[in-house]
Amino acid sequence: MRNFRLDDESGHQEALFSWAAYQLGRMPELEYLHHVPNGGKRDKATATALKRQGVKAGVPDICLPVARGGYHGLYIELKAGRNKATDNQKRWLKFLEEQGYCAAVCYGWNEAADKITEYLEMEKEKHCTECVYAETCIWRNREDNRPTECGEYKKKS
């Protein structure tokens, strides 16, 4: 890996995506890891145009749209230095968790790489779309709202 300036989030993000490129042979799902470019400094006209196009404040920086361990995918808000998640970022992370995603704040690229590795090592779950009860199944554990196997799982024949 090349050297990155690790004094801001952008350097940590570059380091994380460089790490991910080196890990593709071991974790091919990393091909789908991507950055959501909602942050950054912009002039007023660009910021206005992007807002009209659907850019939303607080959306986590990184997304891995790969299902594991009962989650639909992984979102990471990457922080560097003394930065903390804003209230709006925390609101997004909470919402995403309620929707069945794994969502985390990671401080530095190493912590984010560890979280991604841990996430991808989770077992793949059976999907209700393969179940004969898929049309009527309520497949969420009502206590913590995490996806679970419905208990009635029966593979379509």
Side-chain angles (χ1 to χ4, degrees):
M1 282 187 357
R2 73 178 194 83
N3 291 327
F4 298 95
R5 289 191 56 169
L6 298 178
D7 55 349
D8 66 6
E9 287 178 22
S10 64
H12 280 272
Q13 196 145 308
E14 287 181 43
L16 178 65
F17 279 85
S18 179
W19 166 85
Y22 281 103
Q23 300 300 318
L24 277 172
R26 193 167 71 91
M27 295 179 274
E29 300 90 345
L30 289 174
E31 176 183 351
Y32 301 99
L33 183 71
H34 63 276
H35 165 60
V36 178
N38 278 347
K41 305 283 184 231
R42 298 182 173 100
D43 62 74
K44 192 171 184 175
T46 302
T48 300
L50 289 173
K51 189 172 184 177
R52 281 192 218 128
Q53 294 169 28
V55 169
K56 303 221 184 255
V59 174
D61 299 311
I62 299 163
C63 178
L64 181 61
V66 175
R68 284 291 190 284
Y71 294 105
H72 302 307
L74 172 65
Y75 281 90
I76 293 176
E77 178 59 40
L78 184 61
K79 295 295 178 188
R82 296 176 189 225
N83 289 344
K84 302 259 189 251
T86 66
D87 288 341
N88 203 20
Q89 289 168 336
K90 290 175 188 174
R91 186 177 63 82
W92 268 94
L93 293 168
K94 182 177 185 274
F95 171 78
L96 290 164
E97 286 176 346
E98 290 169 351
Q99 299 306 308
Y101 291 89
C102 182
V105 176
C106 294
Y107 294 89
W109 78 268
N110 285 43
E111 189 175 315
D114 289 346
K115 181 67 179 177
I116 291 165
T117 301
E118 174 188 303
Y119 179 80
L120 287 175
E121 288 174 349
M122 289 182 189
E123 286 189 40
K124 293 181 184 178
E125 296 284 318
K126 296 175 182 166
H127 298 283
C128 280
T129 55
E130 298 175 358
C131 179
V132 294
Y133 303 109
E135 297 300 315
T136 58
C137 181
I138 297 172
W139 58 287
R140 292 200 172 271
N141 175 333
R142 294 187 188 276
E143 290 176 27
D144 68 4
N145 205 30
R146 288 226 11 247
T148 60
E149 189 178 327
C150 66
E152 296 291 327
Y153 181 82
K154 182 176 176 187
K155 192 157 176 100
K156 293 177 183 176
S157 44

